[in-house]
Amino acid sequence: MREAYHVELENLAERLAGMSGQVADAMERATKAMLESDLELAERVISSDSLVDDARADCEEQAYALLALQAPVATDLRVVLAAIHAAESLERMGDLALHVAKAARRRHPDPVLPENVRPYFAEMGKAAVRLARRAEQVIRTRDVEAARAIETDDDQVDDIHRHLFSVLMDKDWPHGVAAAVDVTLLGRFYERYADHAVSVAKRMVFVVTGRMPGYSATEA
Amino acid sequence: MREAYHVELENLAERLAGMSGQVADAMERATKAMLESDLELAERVISSDSLVDDARADCEEQAYALLALQAPVATDLRVVLAAIHAAESLERMGDLALHVAKAARRRHPDPVLPENVRPYFAEMGKAAVRLARRAEQVIRTRDVEAARAIETDDDQVDDIHRHLFSVLMDKDWPHGVAAAVDVTLLGRFYERYADHAVSVAKRMVFVVTGRMPGYSATEA
């Protein structure tokens, strides 16, 4: 029984790692599509989102099967539930990448972003994708050290996001309200994506170590 | 065993209903605090948020105990997991009410919102609170009919949200970019709150009926 349980648990971790990779790719492509007004790439992100939704449903099914067939208790139980929560966050990250891609499509062939804020989004995009890839790495390698770097990347997204707001709020913002609205929402999408990635990584550290690093329920 | 299980499950439902009530109150007060620049009320919402976080932790603990001690299978298992997901959504709704209250505090004694968009927020606030109260009602009374009204309220929030955007995007928006940024984010908070309420209500219908009404994973 225990052996079957651990094989199943490894399969589940493998699927979660796959989802992390999917949503990292999605955000990388969505950011590129937005920055380069690449409609084809935007469409690719949009049509791929259902794969993330499917992967989440698969993870839940597998976790439910584990609970039903193995009836884990104590730490083992928490590990399975952490995986269910992580799958939910990962799906949400996919949705946020989808929102970015849809913004690129909506404004095409015009650029979504005014020239002066593009570097902020290029940086936020890189940091956000790095967060998702680190979460993937933590899941695959069980390298808890890698999880430590996650807070740093998240702080970076928050810093850039704050700078972005100071640019927006500057009285000399010359791009009008419509662009400001787009920039506000897009900034929010990256910030939320990063928050979810941190939440996933922390839950994965818990899966590996049985301990939640500085977990606060509000981050979930 | 089955009897203990059903008593436990009723306790869990009672706690979820309590959480729905808490987050409905929070959004009602946050909206009032924002519309009337009421700092004291905003502070009350801000300091109460930890109670919602605690309630969520309690719900999770109780659900974990149910899983560990009763090892439910099939529909019973799905019911407990639906409750865990609902608790997560409810906590997030509390966070969104908190964001509204913080905006009221940040701008105090100035109003957060320009005069011409206040009616939109008054309406979105009412619809959002109604959604949370309906979710509470569905949980308490197991009245699945009440759940049907939920889609209508959510459509209403989405409609107002769209109108709000057309006001924002109008070339004659006279309130400047900073106000537009606030209005954009606040509108998003109400929209997300409503989405989570719909998700909670659907999961509760599932808890009662064992069937998910038109459930799409992306709504979670």
Side-chain angles (χ1 to χ4, degrees), chain B residues 17-93:
Chain B
M19 272 188 89
S20 300
Q22 280 177 304
V23 301
D25 290 347
M27 195 48 130
E28 193 160 44
R29 288 175 189 148
T31 304
K32 192 164 187 285
M34 178 178 68
L35 292 171
E36 300 175 9
S37 301
D38 184 336
L39 182 60
E40 203 188 320
L41 195 56
E43 292 286 7
R44 229 168 106 197
V45 175
I46 293 163
S47 63
S48 302
D49 185 57
S50 64
L51 299 176
V52 177
D53 296 344
D54 292 347
R56 185 252 176 113
D58 284 351
C59 283
E60 280 202 2
E61 280 310 309
Q62 212 179 339
Y64 288 13
L66 257 166
L67 292 171
L69 301 175
Q70 310 283 346
V73 296
T75 300
D76 286 349
L77 171 60
R78 283 165 195 280
V79 164
V80 177
L81 294 170
I84 293 174
H85 283 297
E88 183 157 2
S89 287
L90 287 165
E91 191 201 333
R92 190 74 203 128
M93 289 163 72

Side-chain angles (χ1 to χ4, degrees), chain A residues 84-219:
Chain A
I84 292 175
H85 283 296
E88 182 157 2
S89 287
L90 287 165
E91 190 200 334
R92 190 73 205 130
M93 290 162 72
D95 289 342
L96 292 161
L98 176 69
H99 291 340
V100 173
K102 281 188 172 170
R105 182 170 72 178
R106 197 181 311 123
R107 300 283 174 250
H108 189 269
D110 295 324
V112 185
L113 301 171
E115 196 67 57
N116 68 328
V117 298
R118 280 190 219 173
Y120 295 97
F121 281 91
E123 282 309 305
M124 275 198 295
K126 268 186 219 157
V129 170
R130 206 157 49 225
L131 276 164
R133 299 227 186 274
R134 276 202 213 278
E136 183 184 357
Q137 190 190 349
V138 173
I139 302 169
R140 283 200 201 280
T141 64
R142 309 204 159 190
D143 174 5
V144 177
E145 293 305 311
R148 301 239 169 105
I150 279 167
E151 299 280 355
T152 315
D153 280 328
D154 185 44
D155 289 347
Q156 204 188 338
V157 173
D158 289 344
D159 281 348
I160 306 167
H161 194 236
R162 259 192 300 276
H163 283 143
L164 182 65
F165 265 72
S166 63
V167 172
L168 264 177
M169 292 302 199
D170 193 304
K171 286 197 193 313
D172 299 327
W173 172 264
H175 307 290
V177 165
V181 168
D182 276 347
V183 167
T184 301
L185 284 177
L186 287 161
R188 175 92 186 147
F189 298 153
Y190 284 89
E191 190 212 4
R192 291 298 300 151
Y193 181 100
D195 286 347
H196 281 291
V198 170
S199 170
V200 170
K202 284 185 174 176
R203 288 196 185 271
M204 285 306 112
V205 171
F206 174 81
V207 167
V208 175
T209 65
R211 272 187 227 158
M212 205 72 175
Y215 172 66
S216 141
T218 52
E219 290 164 329

Side-chain angles (χ1 to χ4, degrees), chain B:
Chain B
M1 276 300 256
R2 303 323 294 157
E3 175 121 354
Y5 170 74
H6 285 108
V7 170
E8 289 293 315
L9 204 60
E10 296 228 333
N11 285 343
L12 181 55
E14 184 54 40
R15 279 179 193 235
L16 286 172
M19 272 188 89
S20 300
Q22 280 177 304
V23 301
D25 290 347
M27 195 48 130
E28 193 160 44
R29 288 175 189 148
T31 304
K32 192 164 187 285
M34 178 178 68
L35 292 171
E36 300 175 9
S37 301
D38 184 336
L39 182 60
E40 203 188 320
L41 195 56
E43 292 286 7
R44 229 168 106 197
V45 175
I46 293 163
S47 63
S48 302
D49 185 57
S50 64
L51 299 176
V52 177
D53 296 344
D54 292 347
R56 185 252 176 113
D58 284 351
C59 283
E60 280 202 2
E61 280 310 309
Q62 212 179 339
Y64 288 13
L66 257 166
L67 292 171
L69 301 175
Q70 310 283 346
V73 296
T75 300
D76 286 349
L77 171 60
R78 283 165 195 280
V79 164
V80 177
L81 294 170
I84 293 174
H85 283 297
E88 183 157 2
S89 287
L90 287 165
E91 191 201 333
R92 190 74 203 128
M93 289 163 72
D95 289 341
L96 292 161
L98 176 69
H99 291 340
V100 173
K102 282 187 172 171
R105 183 171 71 178
R106 196 182 312 123
R107 299 285 174 248
H108 189 268
D110 295 324
V112 185
L113 301 171
E115 196 66 57
N116 69 327
V117 298
R118 280 190 219 173
Y120 294 97
F121 281 91
E123 282 310 305
M124 275 199 295
K126 268 186 218 157
V129 170
R130 205 157 51 225
L131 276 164
R133 300 227 185 275
R134 277 202 212 279
E136 183 184 357
Q137 191 191 348
V138 173
I139 301 169
R140 282 199 201 281
T141 64
R142 309 203 158 191
D143 175 5
V144 178
E145 293 305 311
R148 301 239 168 103
I150 278 167
E151 299 279 353
T152 316
D153 280 329
D154 185 45
D155 289 347
Q156 206 188 334
V157 173
D158 289 344
D159 281 348
I160 306 166
H161 194 235
R162 259 192 300 276
H163 283 143
L164 181 65
F165 265 72
S166 62
V167 173
L168 264 179
M169 292 300 198
D170 193 304
K171 286 196 195 312
D172 299 328
W173 172 264
H175 306 291
V177 165
V181 168
D182 276 348
V183 167
T184 301
L185 284 178
L186 287 161
R188 175 90 185 148
F189 297 153
Y190 284 89
E191 190 211 5
R192 291 298 300 152
Y193 181 99
D195 287 346
H196 281 292
V198 170
S199 169
V200 169
K202 283 185 175 177
R203 288 197 185 270
M204 286 306 112
V205 172
F206 175 80
V207 167
V208 176
T209 65
R211 271 186 229 160
M212 204 72 176
Y215 172 65
S216 141
T218 53
E219 291 165 330

Side-chain angles (χ1 to χ4, degrees), chain A residues 7-158:
Chain A
V7 170
E8 289 293 316
L9 204 60
E10 296 228 334
N11 285 343
L12 183 55
E14 184 53 40
R15 279 181 194 234
L16 287 172
M19 272 188 89
S20 301
Q22 280 177 303
V23 302
D25 290 347
M27 194 47 129
E28 193 160 43
R29 287 174 190 148
T31 303
K32 192 165 188 285
M34 178 177 70
L35 292 171
E36 300 175 9
S37 300
D38 184 335
L39 182 60
E40 202 188 319
L41 195 56
E43 294 286 6
R44 229 168 107 198
V45 175
I46 293 164
S47 63
S48 301
D49 184 57
S50 64
L51 299 177
V52 177
D53 297 345
D54 293 347
R56 184 255 175 109
D58 284 350
C59 283
E60 279 202 2
E61 279 311 308
Q62 212 180 338
Y64 289 13
L66 257 167
L67 292 172
L69 301 176
Q70 309 284 347
V73 296
T75 300
D76 286 348
L77 172 60
R78 285 167 193 279
V79 164
V80 177
L81 294 171
I84 292 175
H85 283 296
E88 182 157 2
S89 287
L90 287 165
E91 190 200 334
R92 190 73 205 130
M93 290 162 72
D95 289 342
L96 292 161
L98 176 69
H99 291 340
V100 173
K102 281 188 172 170
R105 182 170 72 178
R106 197 181 311 123
R107 300 283 174 250
H108 189 269
D110 295 324
V112 185
L113 301 171
E115 196 67 57
N116 68 328
V117 298
R118 280 190 219 173
Y120 295 97
F121 281 91
E123 282 309 305
M124 275 198 295
K126 268 186 219 157
V129 170
R130 206 157 49 225
L131 276 164
R133 299 227 186 274
R134 276 202 213 278
E136 183 184 357
Q137 190 190 349
V138 173
I139 302 169
R140 283 200 201 280
T141 64
R142 309 204 159 190
D143 174 5
V144 177
E145 293 305 311
R148 301 239 169 105
I150 279 167
E151 299 280 355
T152 315
D153 280 328
D154 185 44
D155 289 347
Q156 204 188 338
V157 173
D158 289 344

